[in-house]
Amino acid sequence: MSDDPADDDPGGAERKMRFLFQLRQRGVTDPRVLEAMERIDRGEFVRGHFEDRAYDDTPLPIPCGQTISQPSVVGLMTQALEVGPRDKVLEIGTGSGYQAAILSLLCRRVYTVDRHRRLVTEAEAIFRHFGLSNITAMVSDGSRGLPDQAPFDRIMVTAAAEDPPGPLLAQLKIGGIMVVPVGQSDAVQTLIRVRRGENGFDYDELRQVRFVPLVEGLGQT
């Protein structure tokens, strides 16, 4: 039995085609990323009042005051991370679980952390539904990373910091890449790609974005 409703629903197949077309229009061109985003149904991660907008290219509210990022931003961030099939990836900010699910199809192992226990619990249920056994989700202070599992080949941060966090930079392998939104306000943030070399870090500015802030400590829910 397929997990993909489009397989039994011609309307779903058309919706999927429109979804992938809008991703390509917005610059998501990596074939592996597009295939992963085709396989992982965003509709499984959007509940309640916003279900009918699950395939729109827009961020949507989720519990605990967080958001699920718009698909094109998810695709562009994943593409910028240049994930390989043997990579160990750390994601800061599990949220709905959508980004981690896509990463899991591209790499060997994903560790994803969130400060909200409810979000981690709900995301784990969706990972089980999709049969994604290479994701480890946990409740943790994402600003500190996961030093016990470091170093990581790739680090994805889905919340904005004033600067690329030092503990996360330290947990990146030589030759590794981190993608992180950076900015001092909700209105002005820049997506940064950091490459760690033998002699330090190189930074590329990719595009303007808007993310919730990276907050230290654990949430109340």
Side-chain angles (χ1 to χ4, degrees), residues 125-167:
I126 302 176
F127 300 153
R128 287 192 295 271
H129 167 73
F130 279 113
L132 302 174
S133 59
N134 64 334
I135 304 176
T136 300
M138 59 189 75
V139 182
S140 182
D141 179 351
S143 67
R144 300 183 181 183
L146 281 180
D148 291 349
Q149 297 296 335
F152 295 93
D153 301 287
R154 301 288 187 269
I155 299 178
M156 169 82 78
V157 186
T158 61
E162 289 192 14
D163 297 292

Side-chain angles (χ1 to χ4, degrees), residues 149-200:
Q149 297 296 335
F152 295 93
D153 301 287
R154 301 288 187 269
I155 299 178
M156 169 82 78
V157 186
T158 61
E162 289 192 14
D163 297 292
L168 300 185
L169 291 172
Q171 292 171 37
L172 192 61
K173 273 187 183 176
I174 302 295
I177 297 174
M178 177 165 69
V179 173
V180 53
V182 172
Q184 296 187 345
S185 74
D186 291 344
V188 182
Q189 298 170 2
T190 302
L191 192 63
I192 303 290
R193 177 167 53 200
V194 185
R195 297 180 188 268
R196 184 170 192 178
E198 295 284 353
N199 301 312

Side-chain angles (χ1 to χ4, degrees), residues 9 14 23 25-26 30-31 33 43 49 61 76 83 105 107 130 139 146 150 164 166 196 203 220:
D9 174 13
E14 183 180 337
L23 289 175
Q25 273 193 317
R26 288 162 172 78
D30 185 307
V33 174
H49 298 303
L76 290 168
V83 181
L105 299 184
C107 69
F130 279 113
V139 182
L146 281 180
R196 184 170 192 178
Y203 299 85
Q220 299 301 308

Side-chain angles (χ1 to χ4, degrees), residues 11 41 51 74 94 99 113 116 126 130 139 148 159 174 199:
D41 181 5
E51 284 185 30
V74 171
T94 307
Q99 175 72 82
V113 302
H116 296 286
I126 302 176
F130 279 113
V139 182
D148 291 349
I174 302 295
N199 301 312

Side-chain angles (χ1 to χ4, degrees), residues 84-142:
R86 300 301 304 163
D87 285 347
K88 181 169 72 170
V89 179
L90 172 63
E91 182 200 26
I92 304 300
T94 307
S96 68
Y98 181 58
Q99 175 72 82
I102 290 166
L103 289 169
S104 75
L105 299 184
L106 301 171
C107 69
R108 176 172 58 88
R109 164 73 49 189
V110 178
Y111 291 87
T112 181
V113 302
D114 202 288
R115 59 193 299 269
H116 296 286
R117 184 171 301 279
R118 175 182 174 181
L119 296 181
V120 171
T121 299
E122 292 180 359
E124 285 180 315
I126 302 176
F127 300 153
R128 287 192 295 271
H129 167 73
F130 279 113
L132 302 174
S133 59
N134 64 334
I135 304 176
T136 300
M138 59 189 75
V139 182
S140 182
D141 179 351

